[in-house]
Amino acid sequence: MKRGMLLNSEISYVISKLGHTDTLTIGDCGLPVPDGVQRIDLAVVKGLPEFMPVLQAILEEQEIEKVILAEEIKSANPVLLHEILSFIERTGVKEGKTIDVEYVPHEEFKKKTRDSKAVVRTGEYKAYANIILVSSVTF
């Protein structure tokens, strides 16, 4: 559910339509977007925009209760994983709640994107810079 002042109208529109447990995916430049799922392509060149600023901007708007990450991020990209988890924890503390974190194999992650209302494509090119945000409610 929408709560902030995100400038990107497509992302803002998608967030405004999300209901409880609907999902929104943020992906790196290599994550495949399934047929039938809205693609919001922010990628300009390799590395722009990076994953974390996009995640941070979206979480200023979207109320979440859980995130889903690929299991492989633990070994392939521990630095980004630490950044994500730290930010998610701070977001939860600010909201006075705990945000659950689920890990699934990358192939299963890609299958789960089929149920997302949209996939936001960043220019990120670091391994496994992908996340599924599970919407909560604002009440």
Side-chain angles (χ1 to χ4, degrees):
M1 293 185 168
K2 190 171 167 50
R3 66 176 177 174
M5 294 299 294
L6 185 67
L7 293 176
N8 185 286
S9 61
E10 286 183 84
I11 298 171
S12 187
Y13 180 70
V14 167
I15 292 171
S16 74
K17 296 188 329 177
L18 294 174
H20 188 214
T21 72
D22 283 343
T23 61
L24 175 65
T25 299
I26 305 171
D28 58 29
C29 60
L31 184 68
V33 178
D35 291 338
V37 176
Q38 180 181 355
R39 173 195 303 255
I40 301 173
D41 199 343
L42 304 180
V44 178
V45 295
K46 187 176 178 181
L48 286 177
E50 293 180 337
F51 175 84
M52 281 306 298
V54 173
L55 174 62
Q56 292 166 350
I58 287 174
L59 289 182
E60 287 297 318
E61 289 275 323
Q62 185 183 0
E63 189 76 33
I64 63 167
E65 63 183 33
K66 180 168 91 170
V67 300
I68 303 169
L69 299 163
E71 182 75 36
E72 292 85 346
I73 194 173
K74 292 177 180 177
S75 59
N77 201 342
V79 172
L80 180 61
L81 175 60
H82 177 73
E83 285 182 65
I84 292 168
L85 295 178
S86 294
F87 185 75
I88 295 297
E89 182 179 335
R90 286 193 311 273
T91 299
V93 167
K94 181 171 74 175
E95 298 295 321
K97 63 183 180 177
T98 301
I99 297 170
D100 294 331
V101 178
E102 177 183 348
Y103 297 93
V104 297
H106 188 58
E107 289 304 313
E108 184 179 337
F109 181 95
K110 290 189 288 188
K111 288 177 185 173
K112 285 182 175 290
T113 65
R114 294 178 192 151
D115 296 325
S116 284
K117 298 298 181 183
V119 174
V120 178
R121 181 175 176 253
T122 69
E124 188 64 71
Y125 63 97
K126 296 174 185 158
Y128 301 102
N130 307 298
I131 192 167
I132 297 173
L133 306 172
V134 181
S135 272
S136 185
V137 293
T138 56
F139 53 88

